[in-house]
Amino acid sequence: MLLKYLRFSVHHYGICRANYSSATRPSAFDGGKQFPLEGIRILDLTRIVAGPYCTMVLGDLGAEVYKIERPFEGDESRKWGPPFMRNSKDSVYFMAANRNKKSVCVNLKTGREVIYELAKKCDVLVENYVPGKLDGLGLGYNALKTIAPSLVYCSITGFGSEGPYKTKPGYDVIAASMGGLLHITGNENGPPAKVGIAITDIATGLYAHGAILAALLQRYRTGRGQKIDVNLFSTQVACLINVASNYLNAGKEAKRWGTAHESIVPYEAFKTSTGYITLGCGSDAQFVSLCRLLGMDELLQDERFANNQTRVKHRNELIAILSDILQRKSSSEWMEIFANASFPVGPINSMKEVFEDRHVQAIGMVKTLPHPMAGEVKLVGPPVVYGEAKNEITSIPPQLGQHTDEVLRNLLGYGDAEMERLRDAKIIQ
């Protein structure tokens, strides 16, 4: 549908885009389904997590992603181990955010002209350097827009291109700290806690991917590219949602609640005889259902628990009662009892339990693909399913410099002499 609209726009508005290619994937059609971003080319100058996650999502949707890496070094996350892939120098961490890409090794300090030529052929450039770094190399937006005026240029930074923190390096945990996430994460009477994954990086990558799609749509109306600024700090503040609203509109300072909910009771994790389960009652009817399944109808006659407002007021008393009951059986026993419950409930799973879960296996979230060094690699596939489009893994994360020759020869038309010159000058690997 997106591609159909984009093609319509080109025809209707007379916009001519030399960059478009209809042959970037070996099998564009599968039962009538097509990749939504078929023919879109991404010049990916990102490393670590937020940027690579963004470009990976675009790659899942069919964009051709050229991952520009430092010769002989590559993306820093290749070295973030152990663990590493078997018979490989690449970390398993790198595998998580770099599928559906082609690795092209170019030295940004000496290979500016190569990047210029690639930018002319691409639709989008994504980078995550500290503001000013690429400007100093002649690769900032002001330089690129004169060379490729239709280029969508997305900068992913720690704190944005304006403000007193703009030159500070940005990392997930720092943005989460300064943006309030650590202040509200952890046990009620304990120290701040970091979320188990780089969730601010992931949210930033998703914001960036959506912004890029919006800019591409606008370009098909105007014919012009533009610069997009996305940063970890602003993303984290935006993700505070109701906690931010509570403070801004009611002057209510936030606190840590562990797994509990400030405004809904019960809504938290409970210990069982074998582990933990999490359940919540978002309505009075759901609380009635919980009490009956627990065989505790007498709680329904207790005025302290008559509705959510009184349950919040008497939180400690109710949680103590429920905790005592739920510790008497195993997690699996409770999940059988709650199998048809009207309220949300689920076990707190280990990684082993997550990937052995019958639902995860039934929907095929894990994909196993051949790997030239390790034999095979397992990847968690895209979580979004399109009714009339493809969104899938077509290639494993690349080896360092695997596609340098292919891309520079086929896309830019470089011959043997030019490739030899660039290698002798250590501009490419």
Side-chain angles (χ1 to χ4, degrees):
M1 184 64 188
L2 172 63
L3 183 62
K4 180 179 179 181
Y5 172 75
L6 299 183
R7 285 174 171 166
F8 168 78
S9 299
V10 172
H11 173 76
H12 184 72
Y13 294 106
I15 299 169
C16 180
R17 181 167 74 86
N19 299 344
Y20 183 80
S21 167
S22 61
T24 60
R25 286 294 171 94
S27 57
F29 291 92
D30 180 12
K33 292 185 178 182
Q34 186 177 28
F35 286 104
L37 296 185
E38 184 80 24
I40 296 296
R41 297 191 181 115
I42 312 290
L43 186 56
D44 180 6
L45 275 59
T46 69
R47 309 95 63 218
I48 314 299
V49 180
Y53 195 86
C54 166
T55 55
M56 181 183 74
V57 174
L58 297 171
D60 290 347
L61 293 170
E64 182 96 342
V65 180
Y66 307 122
K67 183 177 179 67
I68 307 302
E69 301 191 70
R70 288 183 299 168
F72 308 104
E73 294 291 333
D75 186 324
E76 294 94 316
S77 69
R78 286 184 182 271
K79 301 179 178 65
W80 284 7
F84 291 93
M85 294 297 293
R86 189 173 46 143
N87 300 323
S88 172
K89 294 181 179 180
D90 286 337
S91 70
V92 298
Y93 198 113
F94 178 79
M95 298 293 115
N98 287 287
R99 64 176 177 253
N100 291 343
K101 301 179 185 181
K102 294 185 175 182
S103 175
V104 180
C105 284
V106 180
N107 187 325
L108 297 185
K109 294 180 179 179
T110 58
R112 180 171 60 189
E113 296 302 323
V114 177
I115 299 300
Y116 285 170
E117 292 303 309
L118 287 169
K120 293 176 185 177
K121 297 287 188 179
C122 289
D123 303 278
V124 178
L125 183 150
V126 189
E127 58 91 8
N128 63 347
Y129 287 83
V130 174
K133 177 70 173 180
L134 291 185
D135 291 305
L137 298 176
L139 297 174
Y141 177 65
N142 287 334
L144 269 295
K145 73 177 181 180
T146 63
I147 294 167
S150 66
L151 188 70
V152 172
Y153 189 111
C154 180
S155 291
I156 301 175
T157 59
F159 296 90
S161 60
E162 298 180 355
Y165 300 155
K166 66 181 181 181
T167 59
K168 287 173 64 71
Y171 287 82
D172 172 271
V173 71
I174 303 304
S177 298
M178 297 177 66
L181 181 59
L182 267 66
H183 176 69
I184 60 175
T185 304
N187 290 330
E188 183 175 2
N189 299 312
K194 184 175 76 69
V195 177
I197 58 168
I199 194 66
T200 306
D201 274 339
I202 298 305
T204 303
L206 291 173
Y207 263 114
H209 130 266
I212 288 167
L213 295 182
L216 285 173
L217 280 173
Q218 184 172 0
R219 186 185 71 174
Y220 277 90
R221 299 189 186 106
T222 66
R224 298 189 303 275
Q226 63 180 295
K227 185 170 188 285
I228 300 169
D229 277 301
V230 186
N231 72 82
L232 300 177
F233 189 46
S234 295
T235 294
Q236 181 51 67
V237 174
C239 286
L240 292 174
I241 54 170
N242 62 296
V243 174
S245 187
N246 286 348
Y247 175 76
L248 293 172
N249 298 291
K252 183 176 178 58
E253 181 55 80
K255 57 173 284 188
R256 289 183 284 283
W257 285 97
T259 63
H261 195 290
E262 179 179 9
S263 305
I264 305 173
V265 176
Y267 192 108
E268 60 184 86
F270 292 90
K271 185 174 177 55
T272 68
S273 64
T274 57
Y276 291 86
I277 62 171
T278 303
L279 62 83
C281 294
S283 69
D284 293 338
Q286 289 181 343
F287 182 68
V288 170
S289 175
L290 171 64
C291 292
R292 288 179 174 161
L293 288 171
L294 292 176
M296 294 293 291
D297 284 21
E298 61 268 29
L299 294 179
L300 301 177
Q301 311 305 319
D302 193 320
E303 293 185 356
R304 296 175 299 172
F305 314 135
N307 55 54
N308 186 69
Q309 185 175 350
T310 60
R311 290 194 295 275
V312 169
K313 183 177 179 181
H314 297 281
R315 174 192 302 269
N316 292 338
E317 301 99 299
L318 178 58
I319 297 306
I321 294 169
L322 296 179
S323 295
D324 178 64
I325 298 169
L326 291 166
Q327 288 187 68
R328 298 173 188 172
K329 297 181 185 294
S330 68
S331 296
S332 59
E333 287 176 308
W334 283 122
M335 291 310 300
E336 281 191 32
I337 292 169
F338 297 148
N340 298 310
S342 62
F343 51 86
V345 58
I348 295 183
N349 285 335
S350 65
M351 290 304 101
K352 181 177 186 294
E353 291 166 332
V354 168
F355 292 109
E356 289 180 352
D357 185 280
R358 60 191 179 117
H359 188 84
V360 171
Q361 293 185 350
I363 63 177
M365 282 209 71
V366 177
K367 312 297 182 184
T368 302
L369 292 89
H371 187 280
M373 308 296 288
E376 65 178 31
V377 58
K378 293 182 179 181
L379 304 171
V380 178
V384 179
V385 178
Y386 291 79
E388 298 187 16
K390 297 171 72 175
N391 180 33
E392 59 191 48
I393 301 173
T394 59
S395 64
I396 65 171
Q399 297 177 68
L400 181 60
Q402 180 180 342
H403 304 95
T404 303
D405 277 35
E406 172 193 327
V407 172
L408 298 190
R409 289 179 184 275
N410 297 343
L411 187 64
L412 301 187
Y414 288 179
D416 291 342
E418 181 65 8
M419 295 295 289
E420 184 176 354
R421 182 188 72 81
L422 293 172
R423 282 205 167 86
D424 287 344
K426 293 183 170 50
I427 292 173
I428 66 172
Q429 177 182 336

